Amino acid sequence: MKKLTFTMENYLEAIYELSRQGTGARLSDIAQRLGVTKASTNSAMSTLAEKGLIINEKYKKVFLTSEGLKLAQFISEKHRVVREFLTEILKVDPSIAEIDACAIEHVISNESIVAMQQFMHIDEK
């Protein structure tokens, strides 16, 4: 998998969340979701397109490539696992857990994610 900056991972995750029905994501919706300018979003889309992670045609919606989809799903899953671990196991307030999960998802190792998943599964029994 390609290594991306935190910012590029956030863009990829936003596209994934905004285009779950396969309808693609509008540039303005991506910018709004991340609280950034359209110009910044446009620049990021160029970078992601160069890396082969999205299809971005001018004045059209943004779509994830198959590689982009895999990476976005992986990032989104890490976010979900961390958020659930914080709220369900550590009883962190959901609004704080959401903010923390967004930061942690970019730096946590795959091994730690697997350990969290295993711990939560064992705890449910």
Short mmCIF file of all heavy atoms in Angstrom, two decimals, residues 36-98:
data_model
loop_
_atom_site.label_atom_id
_atom_site.label_comp_id
_atom_site.label_asym_id
_atom_site.label_seq_id
_atom_site.Cartn_x
_atom_site.Cartn_y
_atom_site.Cartn_z
N VAL A 36 -11.70 22.89 4.59
CA VAL A 36 -10.60 23.49 3.83
C VAL A 36 -11.16 24.18 2.59
O VAL A 36 -12.32 24.02 2.25
CB VAL A 36 -9.54 22.43 3.44
CG1 VAL A 36 -8.89 21.81 4.67
CG2 VAL A 36 -10.15 21.34 2.57
N THR A 37 -10.29 24.91 1.90
CA THR A 37 -10.73 25.62 0.69
C THR A 37 -10.84 24.66 -0.49
O THR A 37 -10.23 23.59 -0.50
CB THR A 37 -9.73 26.73 0.31
OG1 THR A 37 -8.49 26.12 -0.03
CG2 THR A 37 -9.54 27.72 1.45
N LYS A 38 -11.61 25.09 -1.49
CA LYS A 38 -11.72 24.29 -2.72
C LYS A 38 -10.37 24.21 -3.42
O LYS A 38 -10.03 23.20 -4.02
CB LYS A 38 -12.77 24.88 -3.65
CG LYS A 38 -14.19 24.65 -3.18
CD LYS A 38 -15.18 25.18 -4.18
CE LYS A 38 -16.58 25.18 -3.63
NZ LYS A 38 -17.54 25.80 -4.53
N ALA A 39 -9.59 25.28 -3.33
CA ALA A 39 -8.27 25.30 -3.96
C ALA A 39 -7.36 24.24 -3.34
O ALA A 39 -6.66 23.51 -4.05
CB ALA A 39 -7.63 26.68 -3.84
N SER A 40 -7.37 24.15 -2.00
CA SER A 40 -6.58 23.12 -1.31
C SER A 40 -7.05 21.73 -1.71
O SER A 40 -6.24 20.83 -1.94
CB SER A 40 -6.69 23.27 0.20
OG SER A 40 -6.12 24.48 0.62
N THR A 41 -8.35 21.58 -1.78
CA THR A 41 -8.93 20.28 -2.14
C THR A 41 -8.54 19.92 -3.57
O THR A 41 -8.18 18.78 -3.85
CB THR A 41 -10.46 20.31 -1.98
OG1 THR A 41 -10.76 20.67 -0.63
CG2 THR A 41 -11.08 18.96 -2.29
N ASN A 42 -8.60 20.88 -4.46
CA ASN A 42 -8.25 20.63 -5.86
C ASN A 42 -6.79 20.19 -5.98
O ASN A 42 -6.47 19.26 -6.73
CB ASN A 42 -8.50 21.90 -6.69
CG ASN A 42 -8.67 21.59 -8.15
OD1 ASN A 42 -9.23 20.56 -8.52
ND2 ASN A 42 -8.17 22.47 -8.99
N SER A 43 -5.92 20.84 -5.23
CA SER A 43 -4.51 20.48 -5.21
C SER A 43 -4.31 19.05 -4.70
O SER A 43 -3.55 18.26 -5.26
CB SER A 43 -3.73 21.47 -4.34
OG SER A 43 -2.40 21.08 -4.21
N ALA A 44 -5.02 18.72 -3.62
CA ALA A 44 -4.93 17.37 -3.05
C ALA A 44 -5.44 16.33 -4.04
O ALA A 44 -4.88 15.24 -4.14
CB ALA A 44 -5.70 17.30 -1.74
N MET A 45 -6.49 16.66 -4.78
CA MET A 45 -7.04 15.72 -5.76
C MET A 45 -6.02 15.43 -6.85
O MET A 45 -5.90 14.29 -7.30
CB MET A 45 -8.35 16.26 -6.38
CG MET A 45 -9.50 16.41 -5.42
SD MET A 45 -9.92 14.96 -4.42
CE MET A 45 -9.18 15.39 -2.84
N SER A 46 -5.27 16.44 -7.24
CA SER A 46 -4.22 16.23 -8.24
C SER A 46 -3.18 15.24 -7.72
O SER A 46 -2.75 14.34 -8.45
CB SER A 46 -3.53 17.56 -8.58
OG SER A 46 -4.44 18.42 -9.22
N THR A 47 -2.79 15.41 -6.47
CA THR A 47 -1.80 14.51 -5.85
C THR A 47 -2.33 13.09 -5.79
O THR A 47 -1.63 12.14 -6.15
CB THR A 47 -1.44 15.01 -4.44
OG1 THR A 47 -0.90 16.32 -4.53
CG2 THR A 47 -0.44 14.09 -3.77
N LEU A 48 -3.57 12.92 -5.34
CA LEU A 48 -4.15 11.58 -5.23
C LEU A 48 -4.34 10.94 -6.60
O LEU A 48 -4.16 9.73 -6.76
CB LEU A 48 -5.49 11.64 -4.47
CG LEU A 48 -5.39 11.98 -2.98
CD1 LEU A 48 -6.77 12.18 -2.38
CD2 LEU A 48 -4.62 10.91 -2.21
N ALA A 49 -4.67 11.75 -7.61
CA ALA A 49 -4.82 11.24 -8.97
C ALA A 49 -3.47 10.77 -9.52
O ALA A 49 -3.37 9.71 -10.15
CB ALA A 49 -5.44 12.29 -9.88
N GLU A 50 -2.42 11.55 -9.25
CA GLU A 50 -1.07 11.18 -9.70
C GLU A 50 -0.64 9.85 -9.09
O GLU A 50 0.10 9.08 -9.70
CB GLU A 50 -0.06 12.26 -9.31
CG GLU A 50 -0.12 13.50 -10.16
CD GLU A 50 0.72 14.64 -9.58
OE1 GLU A 50 1.61 14.38 -8.75
OE2 GLU A 50 0.48 15.80 -9.97
N LYS A 51 -1.09 9.58 -7.87
CA LYS A 51 -0.74 8.34 -7.18
C LYS A 51 -1.65 7.18 -7.59
O LYS A 51 -1.51 6.07 -7.11
CB LYS A 51 -0.82 8.54 -5.66
CG LYS A 51 0.25 9.48 -5.12
CD LYS A 51 0.15 9.61 -3.61
CE LYS A 51 1.21 10.53 -3.05
NZ LYS A 51 2.56 10.01 -3.15
N GLY A 52 -2.61 7.46 -8.49
CA GLY A 52 -3.49 6.42 -8.98
C GLY A 52 -4.56 5.99 -8.00
O GLY A 52 -5.11 4.89 -8.10
N LEU A 53 -4.90 6.87 -7.04
CA LEU A 53 -5.87 6.51 -6.01
C LEU A 53 -7.28 7.02 -6.30
O LEU A 53 -8.25 6.53 -5.72
CB LEU A 53 -5.39 7.02 -4.65
CG LEU A 53 -4.05 6.43 -4.19
CD1 LEU A 53 -3.58 7.12 -2.92
CD2 LEU A 53 -4.16 4.93 -3.99
N ILE A 54 -7.37 8.03 -7.17
CA ILE A 54 -8.68 8.57 -7.54
C ILE A 54 -8.73 8.86 -9.03
O ILE A 54 -7.70 8.97 -9.69
CB ILE A 54 -9.03 9.88 -6.77
CG1 ILE A 54 -8.05 11.00 -7.14
CG2 ILE A 54 -9.09 9.65 -5.28
CD1 ILE A 54 -8.53 12.40 -6.76
N ILE A 55 -9.96 8.99 -9.51
CA ILE A 55 -10.20 9.48 -10.87
C ILE A 55 -10.85 10.84 -10.68
O ILE A 55 -11.89 10.95 -10.03
CB ILE A 55 -11.12 8.53 -11.66
CG1 ILE A 55 -10.45 7.16 -11.80
CG2 ILE A 55 -11.49 9.13 -13.01
CD1 ILE A 55 -11.38 6.07 -12.24
N ASN A 56 -10.21 11.86 -11.20
CA ASN A 56 -10.66 13.24 -10.98
C ASN A 56 -10.66 13.99 -12.30
O ASN A 56 -9.64 14.46 -12.74
CB ASN A 56 -9.73 13.92 -9.96
CG ASN A 56 -10.11 15.35 -9.68
OD1 ASN A 56 -11.27 15.72 -9.76
ND2 ASN A 56 -9.13 16.17 -9.36
N GLU A 57 -11.81 14.05 -12.92
CA GLU A 57 -11.94 14.81 -14.16
C GLU A 57 -12.49 16.19 -13.84
O GLU A 57 -13.37 16.34 -13.01
CB GLU A 57 -12.87 14.08 -15.13
CG GLU A 57 -12.32 12.74 -15.58
CD GLU A 57 -13.29 12.00 -16.49
OE1 GLU A 57 -14.07 12.66 -17.19
OE2 GLU A 57 -13.26 10.77 -16.49
N LYS A 58 -11.96 17.18 -14.52
CA LYS A 58 -12.37 18.56 -14.27
C LYS A 58 -13.89 18.72 -14.39
O LYS A 58 -14.50 18.22 -15.33
CB LYS A 58 -11.66 19.48 -15.27
CG LYS A 58 -11.64 20.93 -14.83
CD LYS A 58 -10.67 21.73 -15.68
CE LYS A 58 -10.54 23.11 -15.08
NZ LYS A 58 -9.44 23.86 -15.64
N TYR A 59 -14.46 19.40 -13.40
CA TYR A 59 -15.91 19.68 -13.32
C TYR A 59 -16.77 18.43 -13.15
O TYR A 59 -17.95 18.45 -13.39
CB TYR A 59 -16.39 20.49 -14.54
CG TYR A 59 -15.59 21.74 -14.76
CD1 TYR A 59 -14.85 21.90 -15.92
CD2 TYR A 59 -15.55 22.74 -13.79
CE1 TYR A 59 -14.09 23.05 -16.13
CE2 TYR A 59 -14.80 23.90 -14.00
CZ TYR A 59 -14.07 24.04 -15.16
OH TYR A 59 -13.33 25.17 -15.35
N LYS A 60 -16.16 17.33 -12.76
CA LYS A 60 -16.92 16.11 -12.52
C LYS A 60 -16.64 15.62 -11.10
O LYS A 60 -15.75 16.12 -10.42
CB LYS A 60 -16.54 15.03 -13.52
CG LYS A 60 -16.92 15.41 -14.94
CD LYS A 60 -16.88 14.23 -15.85
CE LYS A 60 -17.34 14.67 -17.24
NZ LYS A 60 -17.26 13.62 -18.19
N LYS A 61 -17.38 14.62 -10.67
CA LYS A 61 -17.20 14.07 -9.34
C LYS A 61 -15.90 13.28 -9.25
O LYS A 61 -15.36 12.83 -10.26
CB LYS A 61 -18.38 13.18 -8.97
CG LYS A 61 -19.66 13.99 -8.73
CD LYS A 61 -20.77 13.10 -8.25
CE LYS A 61 -22.00 13.93 -7.94
NZ LYS A 61 -23.10 13.09 -7.46
N VAL A 62 -15.45 13.09 -8.02
CA VAL A 62 -14.22 12.35 -7.74
C VAL A 62 -14.61 10.92 -7.39
O VAL A 62 -15.52 10.70 -6.59
CB VAL A 62 -13.47 12.99 -6.56
CG1 VAL A 62 -12.23 12.19 -6.19
CG2 VAL A 62 -13.10 14.44 -6.88
N PHE A 63 -13.92 9.96 -7.99
CA PHE A 63 -14.16 8.55 -7.72
C PHE A 63 -12.87 7.88 -7.27
O PHE A 63 -11.79 8.22 -7.77
CB PHE A 63 -14.67 7.83 -8.98
CG PHE A 63 -16.04 8.26 -9.39
CD1 PHE A 63 -16.22 9.32 -10.28
CD2 PHE A 63 -17.17 7.61 -8.90
CE1 PHE A 63 -17.49 9.73 -10.66
CE2 PHE A 63 -18.44 8.02 -9.28
CZ PHE A 63 -18.61 9.07 -10.15
N LEU A 64 -12.98 6.93 -6.37
CA LEU A 64 -11.82 6.16 -5.93
C LEU A 64 -11.51 5.08 -6.97
O LEU A 64 -12.43 4.47 -7.52
CB LEU A 64 -12.10 5.48 -4.59
CG LEU A 64 -12.31 6.41 -3.40
CD1 LEU A 64 -12.89 5.64 -2.22
CD2 LEU A 64 -11.00 7.08 -3.01
N THR A 65 -10.23 4.84 -7.23
CA THR A 65 -9.84 3.69 -8.04
C THR A 65 -9.92 2.46 -7.13
O THR A 65 -10.15 2.59 -5.92
CB THR A 65 -8.39 3.85 -8.55
OG1 THR A 65 -7.51 3.89 -7.41
CG2 THR A 65 -8.22 5.10 -9.40
N SER A 66 -9.73 1.28 -7.67
CA SER A 66 -9.79 0.08 -6.81
C SER A 66 -8.71 0.14 -5.74
O SER A 66 -8.95 -0.23 -4.59
CB SER A 66 -9.68 -1.20 -7.64
OG SER A 66 -8.49 -1.23 -8.37
N GLU A 67 -7.52 0.62 -6.10
CA GLU A 67 -6.45 0.76 -5.10
C GLU A 67 -6.80 1.83 -4.06
O GLU A 67 -6.58 1.65 -2.87
CB GLU A 67 -5.12 1.11 -5.79
CG GLU A 67 -3.95 1.11 -4.82
CD GLU A 67 -2.62 1.43 -5.48
OE1 GLU A 67 -2.56 1.59 -6.71
OE2 GLU A 67 -1.63 1.54 -4.73
N GLY A 68 -7.38 2.93 -4.53
CA GLY A 68 -7.81 3.99 -3.62
C GLY A 68 -8.88 3.52 -2.67
O GLY A 68 -8.89 3.87 -1.48
N LEU A 69 -9.80 2.71 -3.18
CA LEU A 69 -10.87 2.16 -2.35
C LEU A 69 -10.31 1.27 -1.25
O LEU A 69 -10.71 1.37 -0.09
CB LEU A 69 -11.88 1.39 -3.22
CG LEU A 69 -13.04 0.73 -2.47
CD1 LEU A 69 -13.88 1.78 -1.73
CD2 LEU A 69 -13.91 -0.07 -3.42
N LYS A 70 -9.38 0.39 -1.60
CA LYS A 70 -8.78 -0.50 -0.60
C LYS A 70 -8.09 0.30 0.50
O LYS A 70 -8.25 0.01 1.69
CB LYS A 70 -7.74 -1.42 -1.26
CG LYS A 70 -8.33 -2.59 -2.00
CD LYS A 70 -7.23 -3.51 -2.48
CE LYS A 70 -7.52 -3.93 -3.89
NZ LYS A 70 -6.40 -4.43 -4.63
N LEU A 71 -7.34 1.30 0.09
CA LEU A 71 -6.62 2.12 1.07
C LEU A 71 -7.59 2.93 1.94
O LEU A 71 -7.44 3.00 3.16
CB LEU A 71 -5.64 3.05 0.35
CG LEU A 71 -4.68 3.87 1.21
CD1 LEU A 71 -3.90 2.98 2.19
CD2 LEU A 71 -3.72 4.64 0.33
N ALA A 72 -8.62 3.49 1.32
CA ALA A 72 -9.62 4.27 2.07
C ALA A 72 -10.37 3.38 3.06
O ALA A 72 -10.63 3.79 4.20
CB ALA A 72 -10.60 4.93 1.10
N GLN A 73 -10.72 2.17 2.65
CA GLN A 73 -11.40 1.23 3.56
C GLN A 73 -10.50 0.89 4.73
O GLN A 73 -10.96 0.80 5.87
CB GLN A 73 -11.81 -0.04 2.81
CG GLN A 73 -12.96 0.18 1.86
CD GLN A 73 -13.23 -1.03 0.97
OE1 GLN A 73 -12.31 -1.77 0.59
NE2 GLN A 73 -14.49 -1.22 0.62
N PHE A 74 -9.23 0.69 4.47
CA PHE A 74 -8.26 0.37 5.51
C PHE A 74 -8.15 1.52 6.52
O PHE A 74 -8.20 1.30 7.74
CB PHE A 74 -6.90 0.08 4.86
CG PHE A 74 -5.81 -0.25 5.84
CD1 PHE A 74 -5.85 -1.44 6.56
CD2 PHE A 74 -4.75 0.62 6.02
CE1 PHE A 74 -4.83 -1.74 7.45
CE2 PHE A 74 -3.74 0.33 6.92
CZ PHE A 74 -3.77 -0.86 7.63
N ILE A 75 -8.05 2.74 6.03
CA ILE A 75 -7.96 3.92 6.90
C ILE A 75 -9.25 4.07 7.72
O ILE A 75 -9.21 4.30 8.93
CB ILE A 75 -7.70 5.21 6.07
CG1 ILE A 75 -6.33 5.14 5.38
CG2 ILE A 75 -7.81 6.46 6.94
CD1 ILE A 75 -6.16 6.14 4.25
N SER A 76 -10.38 3.89 7.06
CA SER A 76 -11.67 4.02 7.73
C SER A 76 -11.84 2.96 8.82
O SER A 76 -12.36 3.24 9.91
CB SER A 76 -12.79 3.92 6.70
OG SER A 76 -14.03 4.14 7.29
N GLU A 77 -11.38 1.75 8.54
CA GLU A 77 -11.48 0.66 9.52
C GLU A 77 -10.60 0.96 10.74
O GLU A 77 -11.02 0.72 11.88
CB GLU A 77 -11.08 -0.67 8.87
CG GLU A 77 -11.07 -1.86 9.82
CD GLU A 77 -12.43 -2.24 10.39
OE1 GLU A 77 -13.47 -1.69 9.98
OE2 GLU A 77 -12.45 -3.10 11.29
N LYS A 78 -9.39 1.47 10.51
CA LYS A 78 -8.53 1.84 11.65
C LYS A 78 -9.23 2.89 12.50
O LYS A 78 -9.22 2.79 13.73
CB LYS A 78 -7.18 2.37 11.15
CG LYS A 78 -6.27 1.30 10.62
CD LYS A 78 -4.80 1.70 10.55
CE LYS A 78 -4.49 2.96 9.86
NZ LYS A 78 -3.05 3.23 9.74
N HIS A 79 -9.83 3.86 11.86
CA HIS A 79 -10.55 4.93 12.57
C HIS A 79 -11.66 4.32 13.43
O HIS A 79 -11.80 4.64 14.61
CB HIS A 79 -11.14 5.91 11.55
CG HIS A 79 -11.84 7.07 12.15
ND1 HIS A 79 -11.35 8.35 12.10
CD2 HIS A 79 -13.01 7.17 12.83
CE1 HIS A 79 -12.18 9.17 12.73
NE2 HIS A 79 -13.21 8.46 13.17
N ARG A 80 -12.44 3.43 12.83
CA ARG A 80 -13.56 2.80 13.54
C ARG A 80 -13.08 1.99 14.75
O ARG A 80 -13.64 2.08 15.84
CB ARG A 80 -14.35 1.89 12.59
CG ARG A 80 -15.61 1.30 13.21
CD ARG A 80 -16.22 0.21 12.35
NE ARG A 80 -15.35 -0.96 12.21
CZ ARG A 80 -15.17 -1.88 13.15
NH1 ARG A 80 -15.77 -1.77 14.32
NH2 ARG A 80 -14.37 -2.91 12.94
N VAL A 81 -12.02 1.19 14.56
CA VAL A 81 -11.51 0.36 15.65
C VAL A 81 -11.01 1.22 16.80
O VAL A 81 -11.33 0.96 17.97
CB VAL A 81 -10.38 -0.59 15.14
CG1 VAL A 81 -9.66 -1.26 16.29
CG2 VAL A 81 -10.95 -1.62 14.18
N VAL A 82 -10.23 2.25 16.49
CA VAL A 82 -9.71 3.13 17.54
C VAL A 82 -10.86 3.83 18.27
O VAL A 82 -10.89 3.87 19.51
CB VAL A 82 -8.71 4.16 16.97
CG1 VAL A 82 -8.31 5.18 18.03
CG2 VAL A 82 -7.47 3.46 16.43
N ARG A 83 -11.83 4.35 17.51
CA ARG A 83 -12.96 5.03 18.13
C ARG A 83 -13.74 4.09 19.05
O ARG A 83 -14.08 4.43 20.18
CB ARG A 83 -13.89 5.60 17.05
CG ARG A 83 -15.05 6.42 17.63
CD ARG A 83 -16.03 6.89 16.57
NE ARG A 83 -16.64 5.74 15.93
CZ ARG A 83 -16.63 5.50 14.61
NH1 ARG A 83 -16.08 6.36 13.78
NH2 ARG A 83 -17.19 4.43 14.11
N GLU A 84 -14.00 2.87 18.58
CA GLU A 84 -14.73 1.91 19.40
C GLU A 84 -13.94 1.51 20.64
O GLU A 84 -14.51 1.34 21.72
CB GLU A 84 -15.10 0.66 18.58
CG GLU A 84 -16.25 0.91 17.65
CD GLU A 84 -16.69 -0.34 16.90
OE1 GLU A 84 -16.32 -1.46 17.32
OE2 GLU A 84 -17.40 -0.19 15.90
N PHE A 85 -12.65 1.33 20.48
CA PHE A 85 -11.81 0.98 21.64
C PHE A 85 -11.88 2.08 22.69
O PHE A 85 -12.03 1.81 23.88
CB PHE A 85 -10.36 0.74 21.19
CG PHE A 85 -9.48 0.21 22.28
CD1 PHE A 85 -9.48 -1.14 22.60
CD2 PHE A 85 -8.64 1.06 23.00
CE1 PHE A 85 -8.67 -1.64 23.61
CE2 PHE A 85 -7.84 0.56 24.02
CZ PHE A 85 -7.84 -0.79 24.32
N LEU A 86 -11.77 3.32 22.23
CA LEU A 86 -11.82 4.45 23.18
C LEU A 86 -13.17 4.56 23.87
O LEU A 86 -13.24 4.80 25.07
CB LEU A 86 -11.49 5.75 22.44
CG LEU A 86 -10.05 5.89 21.94
CD1 LEU A 86 -9.92 7.13 21.06
CD2 LEU A 86 -9.07 5.95 23.09
N THR A 87 -14.25 4.38 23.12
CA THR A 87 -15.59 4.56 23.72
C THR A 87 -16.04 3.33 24.50
O THR A 87 -16.56 3.46 25.60
CB THR A 87 -16.65 4.91 22.66
OG1 THR A 87 -16.66 3.92 21.64
CG2 THR A 87 -16.40 6.28 22.06
N GLU A 88 -15.86 2.14 23.91
CA GLU A 88 -16.38 0.92 24.53
C GLU A 88 -15.51 0.39 25.66
O GLU A 88 -16.03 -0.05 26.68
CB GLU A 88 -16.56 -0.19 23.47
CG GLU A 88 -17.45 0.20 22.32
CD GLU A 88 -18.87 0.53 22.75
OE1 GLU A 88 -19.41 -0.20 23.60
OE2 GLU A 88 -19.43 1.53 22.24
N ILE A 89 -14.22 0.42 25.48
CA ILE A 89 -13.31 -0.16 26.48
C ILE A 89 -12.86 0.88 27.50
O ILE A 89 -12.91 0.65 28.70
CB ILE A 89 -12.07 -0.80 25.80
CG1 ILE A 89 -12.50 -1.82 24.74
CG2 ILE A 89 -11.13 -1.42 26.84
CD1 ILE A 89 -13.37 -2.96 25.22
N LEU A 90 -12.45 2.04 27.01
CA LEU A 90 -11.92 3.07 27.92
C LEU A 90 -12.98 4.07 28.39
O LEU A 90 -12.69 4.92 29.22
CB LEU A 90 -10.76 3.81 27.23
CG LEU A 90 -9.58 2.94 26.80
CD1 LEU A 90 -8.51 3.79 26.15
CD2 LEU A 90 -9.01 2.14 27.96
N LYS A 91 -14.20 3.97 27.81
CA LYS A 91 -15.33 4.82 28.21
C LYS A 91 -15.06 6.32 28.01
O LYS A 91 -15.50 7.16 28.77
CB LYS A 91 -15.76 4.57 29.67
CG LYS A 91 -16.03 3.12 29.99
CD LYS A 91 -17.16 2.57 29.14
CE LYS A 91 -17.46 1.12 29.53
NZ LYS A 91 -18.13 0.37 28.49
N VAL A 92 -14.32 6.63 26.94
CA VAL A 92 -14.05 8.03 26.58
C VAL A 92 -15.33 8.60 25.96
O VAL A 92 -16.05 7.90 25.24
CB VAL A 92 -12.87 8.11 25.59
CG1 VAL A 92 -12.66 9.52 25.07
CG2 VAL A 92 -11.59 7.59 26.25
N ASP A 93 -15.61 9.86 26.24
CA ASP A 93 -16.76 10.54 25.65
C ASP A 93 -16.69 10.41 24.13
O ASP A 93 -15.63 10.63 23.53
CB ASP A 93 -16.74 12.02 26.07
CG ASP A 93 -17.90 12.79 25.47
OD1 ASP A 93 -18.96 12.84 26.11
OD2 ASP A 93 -17.72 13.33 24.36
N PRO A 94 -17.82 10.04 23.48
CA PRO A 94 -17.79 9.83 22.02
C PRO A 94 -17.26 11.01 21.20
O PRO A 94 -16.57 10.80 20.21
CB PRO A 94 -19.26 9.55 21.69
CG PRO A 94 -19.83 8.98 22.95
CD PRO A 94 -19.11 9.70 24.07
N SER A 95 -17.56 12.24 21.60
CA SER A 95 -17.07 13.38 20.81
C SER A 95 -15.55 13.51 20.92
O SER A 95 -14.87 13.83 19.94
CB SER A 95 -17.75 14.67 21.24
OG SER A 95 -17.49 14.95 22.59
N ILE A 96 -15.00 13.21 22.08
CA ILE A 96 -13.55 13.24 22.26
C ILE A 96 -12.91 12.05 21.54
O ILE A 96 -11.88 12.18 20.87
CB ILE A 96 -13.18 13.24 23.76
CG1 ILE A 96 -13.64 14.54 24.41
CG2 ILE A 96 -11.68 13.03 23.96
CD1 ILE A 96 -13.56 14.56 25.92
N ALA A 97 -13.55 10.89 21.65
CA ALA A 97 -13.04 9.68 20.99
C ALA A 97 -12.96 9.87 19.48
O ALA A 97 -12.01 9.41 18.84
CB ALA A 97 -13.92 8.49 21.34
N GLU A 98 -13.94 10.56 18.90
CA GLU A 98 -13.95 10.80 17.46
C GLU A 98 -12.74 11.65 17.05
O GLU A 98 -12.05 11.33 16.07
CB GLU A 98 -15.25 11.49 17.04
CG GLU A 98 -15.36 11.80 15.57
CD GLU A 98 -15.32 10.58 14.67
OE1 GLU A 98 -15.76 9.49 15.08
OE2 GLU A 98 -14.82 10.72 13.54
#
